[in-house]
Amino acid sequence: MAQPLKIVSWNINSVRFRIEIVERFLREVCPDILCLQETKVIDGDFPAAPFRALGYDQILLHGQKMHHGVAILSRIPLVEDDRYDWQANMEARHVGVRLPNGVRLDNVYVPAGGDIPDRDANPKFGQKLDFIDRMTDWSTNLTTPTIITGDFNIAPLESDVWSHKQLLNTVSHTAIEIEALNRFKQSNDWVDLGRHFHPAPARLHTWWSYRSPDYTANDRGRRLDHMWATADVAAQAVSHTVFEDCRSWLKPSDHIPIMTEFAF
């Protein structure tokens, strides 16, 4: 029986600054494909050598200086390559490929949206909502079996945050963002694989602020990182894992890796 295909997503918050923990994770977990967000590097300066040394010869980049940036690193062949401008301002927030079996894999970094949940007072919040609407338009016309993963910057369920009541008006957990993400979900029968394998109200956090020196002391986490699949692909998923220990590694990202295994 073939081994499941392991796909990981991780907002690394600067791949060059955290390359040591990325290498450690790849050696310990050995995923087949790694999707990174917030790489913060132009394509020409991406640290490809450490990945190639570990067998990740397929490297697809959509980089940007100082901010944003996404990448897909793979030990298996990937075909095609597209970069959608769902931000509508040329920010590097998406890269998509096809797996050998024809399944699409889209790696996305949704904008955080600023601090004020009002598009008039805070244009960044409006840009975030418009980004999700453009994703939804794409999804509505999508006919290919697809996995979409990355930092969605939205925690949609009450149990996806440490306190639903206290975060109701906090960007990433507001009703308007959740409604936008739900419209996306309903546009193509998407399955939220994290909650498929860890149903609510189970605790399932993937992000903790740097503001707390010890994130475990108050555990004020949110589930901002997601892996979703169209129903035909989701039927082949066999597990979903969050690697919370990585939040305690040296020079950690504020996000942790998530991984889904597929029996392709």
Side-chain angles (χ1 to χ4, degrees), residues 178-194:
I178 294 168
E179 289 167 5
L181 190 61
N182 282 339
R183 286 194 299 272
F184 170 76
K185 186 176 184 182
Q186 293 161 9
S187 68
N188 206 310
D189 198 23
W190 293 99
V191 176
D192 175 349
L193 295 170

Side-chain angles (χ1 to χ4, degrees), residues 25 54 72 92 104-106 138-139 142 145 147 150 164 170 173 181 184-185 188 215 227 234 238 262:
F25 179 83
L54 291 169
I72 298 178
R104 278 194 62 96
L105 173 62
D106 289 276
W138 163 82
S139 168
L142 187 66
I147 300 162
H164 170 64
T170 299
H173 193 59
L181 190 61
F184 170 76
K185 186 176 184 182
N188 206 310
Y215 85 97
M227 195 168 310
V238 295
F262 297 89

Side-chain angles (χ1 to χ4, degrees), residues 8 10-31 34 36 50-51 54 210 243-257:
V8 166
W10 194 359
N11 179 321
I12 196 58
N13 192 9
S14 179
V15 65
R16 290 185 292 180
F17 185 69
R18 305 187 206 286
I19 190 62
E20 290 84 2
I21 63 170
V22 176
E23 291 177 283
R24 174 182 171 182
F25 179 83
L26 292 177
R27 287 193 298 266
E28 293 184 4
V29 179
C30 300
L34 172 66
L36 295 176
F51 292 98
L54 291 169
Y210 284 131
F243 295 89
E244 191 168 323
D245 288 352
C246 293
R247 187 61 178 80
S248 299
W249 287 5
L250 183 66
K251 297 194 300 187
S253 172
D254 44 355
H255 296 254
I256 60 170

